[in-house]
Amino acid sequence: MSFCDIRGETIDVGTFIRYTGTGTISKVVDLKEEDNEQWVKLDEPALWYAADSLEVVNEKDIIDSENLDKDTLEQVKDIKEGYEELNANLNDIQGCEGGG
């Protein structure tokens, strides 16, 4: 049985993934199926995540933040905060119905 991310991409041990809840990027170190659910263990943090909450990322697209200058690091931080705020706002959207 193959493990798939939120987009249907195959997840294997060694694959780099992004946890869609927080944007955390890490390497897959283990896979398991339990109670008809697929679980993926990450290198950092060493936790198990549901496969359908993950997104495969290309290793070449990962930025090493330790090698960024201060201005670029601040821009990345601002973008991440904006993404988190947008994501939180999207989760708060409630349906509305028109009268008539």
Side-chain angles (χ1 to χ4, degrees):
M1 166 172 257
S2 70
F3 284 65
C4 295
D5 73 355
I6 196 167
R7 296 176 300 161
E9 297 286 328
T10 302
I11 300 173
D12 295 310
V13 172
T15 301
F16 282 89
I17 58 88
R18 174 184 300 117
Y19 172 55
T20 57
T22 61
T24 300
I25 296 175
S26 189
K27 194 176 204 179
V28 175
V29 295
D30 199 4
L31 304 166
K32 72 177 178 179
E33 187 168 351
E34 188 174 282
D35 299 326
N36 295 322
E37 289 271 344
Q38 293 181 333
W39 296 95
V40 178
K41 187 173 185 180
L42 304 183
D43 182 34
E44 269 308 307
L47 300 172
W48 289 93
Y49 293 85
D52 61 2
S53 66
L54 303 173
E55 177 182 29
V56 172
V57 294
N58 192 328
E59 185 177 0
K60 70 178 183 170
D61 294 334
I62 299 171
I63 298 171
D64 181 6
S65 62
E66 292 178 8
N67 293 326
L68 296 178
D69 62 56
K70 184 178 178 180
D71 291 336
T72 304
L73 196 55
E74 190 63 33
Q75 289 176 341
V76 170
K77 180 182 171 190
D78 290 344
I79 291 169
K80 185 175 179 182
E81 288 173 0
Y83 168 80
E84 290 170 355
E85 182 178 336
L86 175 64
N87 196 31
N89 290 337
L90 289 174
N91 288 331
D92 288 340
I93 293 175
Q94 298 179 2
C96 60
E97 297 178 27

